[in-house]
């Protein structure tokens, strides 16, 4: 799957909302500051959402419905609501530890840091993506590629490239 388009699209949408130049015509904001503001907007102090995720592989298809609650950068709870087979499965991130609850066996298992880049529920997303452990501000370098107009709105296209030591799976 080509991840460049979804990542760019997400950043473009967020940038539409932020207004990166002061109304008084002040100096342009750097690409890194734009990403920092986007990250802050995406996370907020607390966050709650319900999402559906469709996973399609060569052998099977499944749709998941999940609820999530976050508090800051270090606390996330995700609960699988559907399908019935996975209902009640949960993921809890506290600080830098991630725990998975498996209701079918009534067990809680710690997911070690070495597995944070593994597939989440068979999808192309990693556990790190889902619990937002990685940070676009810290893990990538940022370069403003160009300014565009999208639906008559001024937007910016920013390229993020992982730093050599960053534990990320995306190349750009």
């Amino acid at each position: 799957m080509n991840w460049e388009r979804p990542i760019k699209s997400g950043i473009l949408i967020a940038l539409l909302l932020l207004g990166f130049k002061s109304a008084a015509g002040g100096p342009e904001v750097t690409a890194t500051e734009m990403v920092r503001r986007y990250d802050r907007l995406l996370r907020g102090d607390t966050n709650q959402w319900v999402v559906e995720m469709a996973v399609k592989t060569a052998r099977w298809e499944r749709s998941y419905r999940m609820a999530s609650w976050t508090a800051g950068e270090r606390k996330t709870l995700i609960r699988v609501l559907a399908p019935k087979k996975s209902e009640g499965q949960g993921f809890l991130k506290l600080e830098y530890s991630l725990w998975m609850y498996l209701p079918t066996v009534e067990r809680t298992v710690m997911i070690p840091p070495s597995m944070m880049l593994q597939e989440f529920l068979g999808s192309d997303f990693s556990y790190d993506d889902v619990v937002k452990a990685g940070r676009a501000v810290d893990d990538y370098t940022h370069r403003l590629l160009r300014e565009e107009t999208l639906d008559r709105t001024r937007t910016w296209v920013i390229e993020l490239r992982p730093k050599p030591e960053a534990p990320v799976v995306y190349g750009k």
Side-chain angles (χ1 to χ4, degrees):
M1 179 173 200
N2 182 350
W3 286 99
E4 290 179 36
R5 188 172 186 93
I7 291 172
K8 283 182 184 177
S9 298
I11 291 174
L12 278 173
I13 290 167
L15 295 180
L16 286 170
L17 304 172
L18 295 179
F20 288 111
K21 187 172 180 181
S22 73
E28 293 287 333
V29 176
T30 66
T32 298
E33 181 58 24
M34 289 181 191
V35 172
R36 181 175 283 108
R37 290 181 187 183
Y38 165 75
D39 192 57
R40 209 170 26 240
L41 176 68
L42 181 65
R43 292 174 194 274
D45 293 329
T46 61
N47 197 341
Q48 180 179 347
W49 50 261
V50 174
V51 67
E52 290 197 30
M53 177 177 72
V55 180
K56 195 182 279 192
T57 71
R59 289 188 232 131
W60 57 272
E61 276 184 51
R62 188 168 299 136
S63 181
Y64 293 95
R65 183 171 168 82
M66 297 173 280
S68 174
W69 300 265
T70 62
E73 296 176 20
R74 296 197 169 107
K75 295 178 183 176
T76 302
L77 173 64
I78 299 172
R79 185 94 191 219
V80 178
L81 306 173
K84 192 77 169 157
K85 177 180 179 180
S86 301
E87 184 179 5
Q89 191 172 355
F91 302 87
L92 176 65
K93 177 188 160 214
L94 295 173
E95 296 294 324
Y96 299 103
S97 299
L98 179 63
W99 301 87
M100 176 172 53
Y101 174 69
L102 302 166
T104 54
V105 292
E106 297 182 355
R107 294 277 186 253
T108 302
V109 178
M110 181 180 177
I111 297 182
S114 62
M115 288 189 61
M116 289 298 287
L117 300 180
Q118 298 297 313
E119 298 174 342
F120 177 77
L121 299 175
S123 72
D124 288 332
F125 293 106
S126 69
Y127 287 100
D128 187 68
D129 292 331
V130 175
V131 297
K132 301 177 188 159
R135 297 205 28 151
V137 175
D138 299 329
D139 292 341
Y140 295 87
T141 59
H142 317 98
R143 184 169 67 111
L144 181 61
L145 297 180
R146 65 187 173 277
E147 196 175 305
E148 293 181 356
T149 299
L150 183 62
D151 295 330
R152 296 188 307 257
T153 302
R154 184 177 171 204
T155 63
W156 296 262
V157 177
I158 301 171
E159 177 182 83
L160 282 72
R161 293 225 178 234
K163 293 179 180 176
E165 69 281 0
V168 298
V169 295
Y170 308 111
K172 179 166 76 170

